[in-house]
Every structure is written in structure tokens, then in C-alpha cells.
């Protein structure tokens, strides 16, 4: 996980596979002999032994998440399982948009956070999250090949959620907003994001709470009220359910590094 406040040119060739997700900023990235625009929401794949370079624009500092991995091909030879000597070839697109792939983006963040935290069992969990990331990306690509106007309505709902981050929403309210039946909207939203409407809204609130807590100028009670939680203890329970730690524990770890 990196964020460059100042431009920094990177050029290298690695021996493993690399997935790079841009979270902010702009610039350019070269993979092999092809140049691509560096844009927020874009996913780039670099294969082993492939030269790549990254150059953020000076006016817009870049932020990226990267996942590096190796893999093997398992074969059955005369009744015995063996690992093939050659590394299997992967053929994902060098550059593709994940701007509306909420499940894939969320899985990418979880994988990076799991690896960086290095809690007991993190290597095993990282392997599972990596596989789930592949599935989320594949499902997103499948949906891209089957364009649906409903995805635009999901985007509209998410923007409305951001606008009402300090309030409440209901399924009925969202149904009226995009003129879809509650049942169809619930199913479509879940298929697109991987979350129910309320789960996604709560996740947005907690993500915002994390930003406010890291700023270090507000108490937990103040953050809860700013996000529309009248009950500080309910907010703390919701925060721990989603993040695995209480707001105060999150604050201590990320602000005071305790």
C-alpha cells in the first residue's frame, strides 16, 4: 500500500505476478511495450519477467495497492500428484477498470490489510483472500459483458448513500429513488456489490468513521453523532462487527501505534 505525496518514478522487472489497483491520482504506467493511463479505479496486471514502469503526475499524487504472488500448476502423473516445473501462464488483461466492481475493490483492500497486519495465520488467510479476489474480478468481467442499466441505478444509490452518510436510509426510499421494486433492487444491489443495501451503507459509515478517527481530533462519541448514530455503544458494536476491533482500539493502533 503506497501513496506518493511527490512524484516518484518506478521501473523494474519482477519474478512474480503483480496486481496493482490505483486508488487515487493519475499518471502513466508502462507494461512491457505498452503504455497505459494511470487512473483511479484501474487494475493493472504484470506477469513474471515483464518490465514495467510507473510515473505519477506531479499535480495529482498517486495512491496504489499492490498484490504480489506466485503460483504453481498441480498435475496428476501415474496416480501421483506432482507440481509442474513450469509456472502456469495467466492471461488477464494488462489494464481493466474496477470502478464499479465494489466486491473486487473491497476484497483487494482486505487482502492488503490482512498481509500488512501479519496476525497469526495471515499467510493462510491471504491465500484465501487472493482466491476470492480472483473470483470477484471474474464475476465483474462477466457482468461487464452483459451490460445492465440496473448497474447505473446501483451507482445512483451509492452516491445517495454518500450524500446521506450522516443519516438513515430505507429500502423503500431507495426503491422510489431508482424506480425499481424493493425485491428486484435488493437482489440487483447484492449481486453488484456483494452486500445488502443496509450492510453497504453501514460499511460506508464505518469507513468514514475510520477517516474521522485517524484525524485524531474527535472522540468516539463525536464521530458516532457526526455519522447519525444516537447511541455511541451501538456505533461501537457496529464498528467492531465490521472492522474486528473497537473504535478506541482502532484509534490507538492507527494514531498512537499501540
Amino acid at each position: 500500500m503506497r501513496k506518493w505525496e511527490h512524484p516518484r518514478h518506478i521501473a523494474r522487472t519482477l519474478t512474480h505476478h503483480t496486481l496493482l489497483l490505483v486508488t487515487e491520482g493519475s499518471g502513466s504506467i508502462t507494461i512491457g511495450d505498452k503504455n497505459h493511463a494511470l487512473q483511479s479505479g484501474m487494475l493493472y496486471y504484470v506477469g513474471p519477467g515483464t518490465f514495467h514502469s510507473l510515473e505519477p503526475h506531479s499535480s495529482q499524487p498517486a495512491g496504489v495497492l499492490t498484490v504480489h504472488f506466485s503460483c504453481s500448476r498441480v498435475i496428476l502423473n501415474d496416480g501421483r500428484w506432482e507440481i509442474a516445473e513450469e509456472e502456469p501462464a495467466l492471461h488477464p488483461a494488462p489494464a481493466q477498470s474496477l470502478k464499479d466492481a465494489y466486491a473486487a475493490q473491497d476484497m483487494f483492500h482486505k487482502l492488503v490489510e490482512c498481509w500488512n497486519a501479519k496476525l497469526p495465520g495471515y499467510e493462510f488467510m491471504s491465500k484465501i483472500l487472493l482466491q476470492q479476489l480472483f473470483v470477484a474480478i471474474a464475476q465483474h468481467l462477466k457482468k461487464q459483458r452483459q451490460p445492465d442499466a440496473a448497474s447505473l441505478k446501483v451507482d445512483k444509490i451509492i452516491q445517495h448513500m454518500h450524500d446521506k452518510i450522516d443519516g438513515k436510509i430505507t429500502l423503500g426510499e431507495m426503491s422510489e429513488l431508482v424506480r425499481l421494486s424493493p425485491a428486484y433492487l435488493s437482489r440487483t444491489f447484492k449481486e453488484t456489490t456483494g452486500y445488502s443495501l443496509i450492510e453497504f451503507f453501514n460499511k460506508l459509515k464505518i469507513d468514514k468513521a475510520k477517516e474521522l478517527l485517524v484525524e485524531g481530533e474527535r472522540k468516539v462519541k463525536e464521530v458516532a453523532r457526526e455519522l447519525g448514530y444516537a447511541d455511541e455503544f451501538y456505533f461501537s458494536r457496529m464498528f467492531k462487527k465490521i472492522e474486528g476491533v473497537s473504535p478506541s482500539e482502532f484509534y490507538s493502533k492507527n494514531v498512537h501505534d499501540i
Side-chain angles (χ1 to χ4, degrees):
M1 183 184 303
R2 296 184 180 182
K3 181 177 180 180
W4 293 282
E5 295 296 342
H6 304 285
R8 179 184 173 187
H9 179 76
I10 291 179
R12 60 188 180 181
T13 301
L14 302 175
T15 59
H16 48 254
H17 304 269
T18 300
L19 291 175
L20 187 150
L21 177 66
V22 182
T23 58
E24 59 184 308
S26 63
S28 64
I29 181 171
T30 299
I31 302 174
D33 58 355
K34 294 185 178 181
N35 185 265
H36 307 272
L38 195 69
Q39 299 176 337
S40 177
M42 289 295 294
L43 175 72
Y44 303 92
Y45 166 73
V46 184
T50 302
F51 170 80
H52 65 283
S53 64
L54 186 153
E55 188 163 1
H57 283 166
S58 58
S59 59
Q60 293 181 296
V64 300
L65 301 176
T66 55
V67 171
H68 306 271
F69 65 94
S70 296
C71 56
S72 301
R73 186 166 64 91
V74 180
I75 59 176
L76 184 62
N77 187 11
D78 291 332
R80 297 178 59 185
W81 291 106
E82 297 178 355
I83 296 179
E85 293 184 3
E86 75 278 8
E87 184 157 349
L90 302 181
H91 303 285
Q96 56 188 290
S97 174
L98 289 188
K99 287 185 178 180
D100 60 344
Y102 308 109
Q105 287 194 36
D106 185 50
M107 197 58 62
F108 210 110
H109 281 270
K110 286 181 178 178
L111 175 54
V112 172
E113 290 171 359
C114 175
W115 186 263
N116 287 341
K118 289 187 169 43
L119 298 174
Y122 76 96
E123 290 178 312
F124 177 73
M125 284 300 302
S126 294
K127 291 177 183 178
I128 294 175
L129 290 171
L130 179 61
Q131 293 177 18
Q132 292 177 334
L133 173 61
F134 291 153
V135 172
I137 292 173
Q139 291 176 336
H140 170 66
L141 294 177
K142 181 179 178 181
K143 289 177 182 176
Q144 279 190 323
R145 291 191 288 267
Q146 300 173 342
D148 188 349
S151 63
L152 297 177
K153 297 191 175 185
V154 169
D155 289 342
K156 184 175 182 179
I157 288 174
I158 292 175
Q159 183 56 56
H160 186 72
M161 289 179 175
H162 282 289
D163 295 339
K164 295 195 65 175
I165 196 72
D166 59 348
K168 297 180 180 180
I169 64 168
T170 65
L171 177 58
E173 176 190 354
M174 296 299 98
S175 298
E176 292 180 7
L177 177 68
V178 295
R179 297 187 178 183
L180 293 176
S181 71
Y184 182 75
L185 173 58
S186 294
R187 183 171 66 255
T188 301
F189 194 91
K190 178 79 171 181
E191 290 174 350
T192 304
T193 67
Y195 298 90
S196 70
L197 273 163
I198 302 304
E199 287 173 341
F200 194 92
F201 188 50
N202 285 332
K203 186 178 183 305
L204 287 183
K205 281 179 174 282
I206 297 306
D207 284 346
K208 183 63 177 180
K210 288 160 62 179
E211 294 178 15
L212 297 176
L213 287 169
V214 169
E215 290 176 3
E217 298 178 356
R218 297 174 178 83
K219 296 180 179 178
V220 173
K221 182 185 293 185
E222 294 172 335
V223 171
R225 288 178 178 173
E226 189 164 338
L227 293 172
Y229 291 97
D231 187 341
E232 174 190 351
F233 300 104
Y234 175 77
F235 164 72
S236 295
R237 289 196 300 273
M238 183 64 64
F239 191 102
K240 187 168 185 176
K241 178 181 179 181
I242 294 175
E243 291 299 318
V245 294
S246 68
S248 56
E249 290 171 332
F250 176 86
Y251 175 84
S252 298
K253 179 180 179 182
N254 290 274
V255 178
H256 296 302
D257 195 27
I258 297 177

